Amino acid sequence: MPTALAISAPLAIGLAAFGSGIGLGRAVGSAMEAIGRQPEASGKIMTSMIIGAALIEALTIYALIVFFISLGKMG
């Protein structure tokens, strides 16, 4: 059982980081396109993008916390 956890925990955090990176890239890319189309709304778009990016990063931080907890249970 500890071997399976030792293999799966880093793999899970890697997948979480990969998904977070893709999500952040898409969110920022879409926000930049929206600002390019409507420069007058850049403040509102930027605020929404920052809140969304923070929520995406929070999911990755949760995965990292679960990783450290499971690492502590391994021994």
Side-chain angles (χ1 to χ4, degrees), residues 22-51:
I22 289 174
L24 277 173
R26 289 184 59 131
V28 171
S30 296
M32 294 301 117
E33 286 179 12
I35 289 173
R37 279 182 274 148
Q38 294 182 331
E40 65 275 1
S42 65
K44 291 181 180 179
I45 294 169
M46 193 68 83
T47 302
S48 299
M49 183 200 70
I50 289 172
I51 292 170

Side-chain angles (χ1 to χ4, degrees), residues 4-70:
L5 189 60
I7 293 171
S8 62
L11 192 62
I13 192 71
L15 285 173
F18 182 72
S20 176
I22 289 174
L24 277 173
R26 289 184 59 131
V28 171
S30 296
M32 294 301 117
E33 286 179 12
I35 289 173
R37 279 182 274 148
Q38 294 182 331
E40 65 275 1
S42 65
K44 291 181 180 179
I45 294 169
M46 193 68 83
T47 302
S48 299
M49 183 200 70
I50 289 172
I51 292 170
L55 292 174
I56 292 169
E57 282 294 323
L59 293 175
T60 306
I61 292 170
Y62 292 150
L64 186 64
I65 290 170
V66 169
F67 171 74
F68 284 126
I69 290 171
S70 63

